[in-house]
């Protein structure tokens, strides 16, 4: 697979693998064998960039994702880039399927987190360490100072932030250079495009999570699906209702037309559009199915011209769309 550079010098496959769904939010957690099969299939497809977090787990193993990813990638040390995250935990007292987040980025918490992640991932350093969410009780400069200390100690080599705005990025970067921002981004959630000028100026990469709107942009859903309400976040996502399916017909038709023109799948078009926007954007779709990993990787071979990309943007801006989980409609 082709590669891209995040920040100054972090080289990754131009499409990465978001590993969260193997443990959390998309049904029961994968078994170790299932997890290993997915990671091995991803390696075979050319993925070198794997994204996890200390909180991606379940009641049995709160750190399920890091634990299994560390085991699955042991044989590939030095050939892959692992990103993980610190700073949140779930409110386990809540009965909601999507439990509220508790943010904690005190320096002592960060240090406990990094030591735990290093052990679970079975590595001597973390390639890219994200603050998972901004902590309103903690100045970002304080977090950035801890990141610089961890870099100096050799425990991490690069750091980033997730779900943040331009001001936070600038303040953090002034203390310790930021390599990447990981924010939600898809054809249905484009509000973070407002951040692009800042990232371009500071030479910071953008890692896009949920680039297929949690799978909706694959075109494989019609609003009649039944998701497990105990373990699958899609059961409460607004884009997976019958009414949303009807509202999004213009979007699905656009994807279908482009897919036919490019001899591609809808998912590939949604990813190729993102890759064409900026050469420092790296989407990280997730899947448990090896054939989907291969399909997503194939998006890197689809070329959309600047004119085609602009035409898609204009079409997206004008068309009606349903609400989407975590998204804000941009006009």
């Amino acid at each position: 697979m082709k590669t891209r550079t995040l920040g100054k010098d972090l080289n990754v496959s131009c499409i990465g693998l978001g590993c969260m769904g193997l443990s959390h939010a998309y049904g029961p957690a994968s078994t170790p064998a299932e997890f290993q099969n997915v990671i091995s299939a991803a390696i075979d497809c050319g993925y070198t960039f794997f994204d996890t977090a200390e909180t991606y787990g379940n009641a049995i193993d709160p750190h399920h994702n890091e634990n299994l990813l560390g085991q699955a990638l042991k044989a590939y040390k030095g050939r892959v880039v692992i990103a993980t995250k610190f700073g949140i935990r779930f409110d386990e007292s809540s009965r909601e399927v999507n439990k509220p987040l508790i943010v904690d980025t005190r320096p002592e918490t960060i240090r406990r987190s990094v030591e735990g992640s290093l052990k679970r991932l079975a590595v001597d350093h973390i390639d890219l360490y994200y603050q998972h969410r901004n902590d309103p009780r903690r100045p970002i400069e304080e977090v950035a100072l801890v990141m610089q200390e961890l870099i100096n100690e050799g425990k991490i080599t690069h750091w980033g932030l997730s779900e943040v705005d331009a001001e936070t990025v600038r303040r953090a970067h002034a203390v310790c250079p930021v390599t990447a921002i990981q924010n939600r981004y898809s054809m249905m959630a484009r509000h973070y495009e407002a951040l692009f000028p800042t990232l371009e100026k500071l030479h910071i990469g953008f890692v896009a999570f949920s680039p297929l709107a949690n799978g909706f942009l694959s075109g494989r859903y019609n609003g009649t699906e039944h998701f497990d309400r105990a373990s699958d976040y899609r059961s409460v996502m607004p884009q997976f209702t019958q009414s949303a399916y009807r509202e999004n017909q213009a979007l699905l038709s656009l994807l279908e037309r482009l897919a036919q023109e490019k001899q591609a799948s809808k998912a590939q078009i949604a990813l190729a559009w993102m890759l064409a926007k900026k050469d420092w954007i790296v989407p990280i779709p997730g899947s448990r199915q090896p054939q989907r990993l291969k399909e997503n990787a194939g998006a890197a071979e689809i070329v959309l011209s600047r004119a085609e990309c602009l035409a898609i943007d204009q079409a997206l801006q004008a068309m009606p769309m349903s609400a989407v989980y975590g998204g804000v409609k941009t006009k």
Side-chain angles (χ1 to χ4, degrees):
M1 196 190 301
K2 298 173 184 175
T3 61
R4 291 192 163 190
T5 302
L6 298 174
K8 181 181 178 181
D9 59 3
L10 187 60
N11 296 317
V12 300
S13 52
C14 65
I15 295 174
L17 180 63
C19 297
M20 181 187 76
L22 295 168
S23 303
H24 171 80
Y26 289 87
S30 304
T31 67
E34 291 168 339
F35 202 109
Q36 181 66 66
N37 287 340
V38 170
I39 298 305
S40 296
I43 293 287
D44 290 343
C45 290
Y47 290 82
T48 64
F49 186 33
F50 296 85
D51 182 87
T52 183
E54 65 175 346
T55 51
Y56 296 162
N58 51 62
I60 298 173
D61 181 1
H63 306 296
H64 180 271
N65 209 261
E66 282 192 336
N67 280 325
L68 293 192
L69 187 63
Q71 292 300 311
L73 289 176
K74 264 188 176 180
Y76 306 101
K77 284 185 178 179
R79 296 164 51 191
V80 297
V81 171
I82 302 175
T84 191
K85 311 177 194 73
F86 66 89
I88 65 169
R89 66 182 189 274
F90 293 101
D91 181 0
E92 296 297 340
S93 67
S94 171
R95 293 186 177 182
E96 297 179 30
V97 60
N98 182 10
K99 298 183 185 301
L101 300 177
I102 298 173
V103 182
D104 181 1
T105 58
R106 291 173 296 172
E108 59 268 31
T109 302
I110 296 173
R111 287 195 165 273
R112 283 196 302 270
S113 291
V114 74
E115 295 299 339
S117 291
L118 286 167
K119 182 177 180 180
R120 289 186 291 271
L121 292 169
V123 295
D124 59 11
H125 71 273
I126 293 167
D127 301 303
L128 178 54
Y129 201 38
Y130 293 108
Q131 178 179 313
H132 210 151
R133 291 292 184 273
N134 190 45
D135 188 344
R137 298 170 301 178
R138 194 73 43 189
I140 192 60
E141 290 84 356
E142 182 180 282
V143 175
L145 281 172
V146 177
M147 294 299 105
Q148 186 63 66
E149 291 171 359
L150 294 178
I151 290 171
N152 294 344
E153 294 164 16
K155 293 181 178 178
I156 70 174
T157 58
H158 305 80
W159 84 290
L161 305 101
S162 183
E163 293 281 79
V164 289
D165 59 21
E167 179 186 359
T168 303
V169 173
R170 287 191 291 266
R171 288 168 54 197
H173 189 75
V175 176
C176 180
V178 174
T179 291
I181 301 302
Q182 184 180 137
N183 286 2
R184 183 182 302 276
Y185 184 47
S186 74
M187 285 182 164
M188 296 184 75
R190 298 174 56 206
H191 45 293
Y192 279 122
E193 289 181 356
L195 191 61
F196 288 1
T198 297
L199 301 184
E200 195 132 44
K201 180 179 180 181
L202 299 178
H203 304 290
I204 297 172
F206 186 96
V207 176
F209 75 85
S210 296
L212 299 177
N214 308 100
F216 181 83
L217 295 176
S218 68
R220 298 187 177 95
Y221 300 91
N222 60 20
T224 63
E225 293 77 20
H226 296 282
F227 301 107
D228 179 14
R229 296 192 65 82
S231 62
D232 197 322
Y233 284 19
R234 287 171 296 184
S235 64
V236 295
M237 290 182 182
Q239 68 266 38
F240 291 104
T241 62
Q242 290 188 32
S243 60
Y245 177 73
R246 292 190 293 270
E247 287 180 79
N248 291 314
Q249 283 306 298
L251 173 58
L252 294 172
S253 295
L254 173 66
L255 286 169
E256 178 63 29
R257 177 177 62 80
L258 292 168
Q260 290 181 2
E261 290 177 3
K262 298 293 184 178
Q263 297 184 321
S265 70
K266 294 183 181 72
Q268 287 176 330
I269 293 299
L271 295 172
W273 162 80
M274 190 173 292
L275 292 171
K277 299 276 284 186
K278 301 289 183 180
D279 63 7
W280 37 261
I281 293 178
V282 176
I284 51 169
S287 181
R288 299 188 184 198
Q289 302 178 49
Q291 65 269 32
R292 298 287 175 252
L293 300 179
K294 185 176 181 180
E295 177 186 333
N296 291 341
E301 304 304 318
I302 297 169
V303 177
L304 293 173
S305 68
R306 183 171 298 181
E308 288 174 319
C309 199
L310 178 59
I312 292 171
D313 285 352
Q314 292 172 338
L316 293 174
Q317 197 77 355
M319 68 177 53
M321 288 186 199
S322 75
V324 60
Y325 180 73
V328 176
K329 181 67 176 175
T330 302
K331 278 293 185 184

